[in-house]
Amino acid sequence: MAESVRSQLSPRQIECLRLAAAGKTSSEIAIVLGISSRTVDQYVGEACERLKVRNRIQAVAKALRLGLLPDAPP
């Protein structure tokens, strides 16, 4: 299952979730990635849809559980 979900998430979506797992806000993620905070929200929203969850916290939790964020903080 994790592999099929991983193939559905883009590298940017995974990166946004990884940074969100580190406690960064959309604005902080935007600065790190050099994109707008609205684009970050779009990536996270799309990841939520693909992970079949309702919000950022659930997306991070599910991605961690599935092993999609290997270098996220413990």
Side-chain angles (χ1 to χ4, degrees):
M1 160 115 180
E3 189 56 41
S4 65
V5 173
R6 180 187 302 275
S7 65
Q8 292 177 14
L9 294 179
S10 73
R12 269 303 205 210
Q13 290 167 341
I14 291 172
E15 186 66 10
C16 286
L17 290 178
R18 188 184 69 77
L19 291 167
K24 301 222 178 287
T25 65
S26 291
S27 296
E28 292 168 333
I29 295 169
I31 291 168
V32 170
L33 298 180
I35 58 179
S36 74
S37 60
R38 186 175 169 114
T39 302
V40 171
D41 291 338
Q42 182 177 347
Y43 284 138
V44 172
E46 290 169 356
C48 287
E49 288 178 19
R50 292 177 184 184
L51 291 169
K52 296 180 175 38
V53 298
R54 292 180 176 247
N55 60 47
R56 171 186 303 239
I57 294 170
Q58 291 175 346
V60 167
K62 188 164 187 179
L64 285 169
R65 212 171 38 252
L66 294 173
L68 300 178
L69 309 176
D71 26 334

